[in-house]
Amino acid sequence: MKLFLYCFVLLSALLSNADFSDVDENYEYAEAIDYLYEHGVIEGYSDGSYRPYNEINRAEFTKILIARQFSEEDLEDCDMEELNFSDIDGDEWYAPYLCIAKDEDWIEGYDDGTFRPEGAINFVEAAKIVSIAYGEAESDASVWYQP
């Protein structure tokens, strides 16, 4: 009987939607969060939370954009030597996502050679990346936010 109960609980957990400790079914974006979770775009934090009110940082934003459009094989095949930001050594969880974004010319980083992955992304930066990713802008505009 205990084995049956254990298997039932385990199977229920595997088949359920995202069950983040800080997102309930009445939360305005719960359905969107479940969708992204089910499609492997987001994972949440190791403590079981999603933290929906936190600012999103540059690495997280880039990961979400890349994870929806590229496969695990693409991530593995990206040449990490081309990821030449001085503040990224290539071992971070987000490095493969940044590698693809850089390879696709979606991101450039800052003039000082950094990417600042932990920094909060602002609207203009996010809009530029999305615009380039979806072919609505050029990455080499004379003013970086112009497109």
Side-chain angles (χ1 to χ4, degrees):
M1 182 65 167
K2 286 183 182 179
L3 180 61
F4 173 79
L5 183 59
Y6 175 77
C7 290
F8 176 77
V9 170
L10 182 62
L11 184 59
S12 296
L14 291 173
L15 295 177
S16 69
N17 291 343
D19 190 22
F20 297 114
S21 61
D22 53 353
V23 177
D24 67 27
E25 62 203 35
N26 297 321
Y27 178 62
E28 181 178 11
Y29 302 111
E31 187 176 340
I33 292 168
D34 281 345
Y35 177 87
L36 293 173
Y37 176 78
E38 289 171 7
H39 288 85
V41 175
I42 61 169
E43 298 172 19
Y45 293 90
S46 60
D47 65 358
S49 67
Y50 178 71
R51 304 176 191 170
Y53 298 104
N54 281 10
E55 287 184 318
I56 189 168
N57 69 39
R58 294 166 54 79
E60 293 165 335
F61 180 82
T62 305
K63 187 259 185 188
I64 289 170
L65 204 56
I66 295 297
R68 190 67 184 121
Q69 298 183 46
F70 292 87
S71 70
E72 287 294 322
E73 186 176 310
D74 294 329
L75 293 171
E76 293 169 8
D77 290 345
C78 194
D79 183 6
M80 296 300 278
E81 297 292 323
E82 300 296 316
L83 188 62
N84 55 359
F85 296 119
S86 62
D87 57 343
I88 298 171
D89 64 21
D91 293 330
E92 298 90 348
W93 67 265
Y94 49 78
Y97 302 99
L98 298 183
C99 181
I100 289 178
K102 179 102 162 97
D103 189 52
E104 293 289 321
D105 290 326
W106 294 1
I107 60 173
E108 296 173 4
Y110 292 95
D111 289 339
D112 66 359
T114 63
F115 181 73
R116 304 177 195 163
E118 302 299 326
I121 192 164
N122 65 45
F123 179 80
V124 175
E125 292 169 328
K128 178 190 178 203
I129 294 169
V130 169
S131 295
I132 293 168
Y134 289 97
E136 299 297 323
E138 300 284 326
S139 63
D140 62 349
S142 60
V143 178
W144 75 267
Y145 57 84
Q146 186 175 4

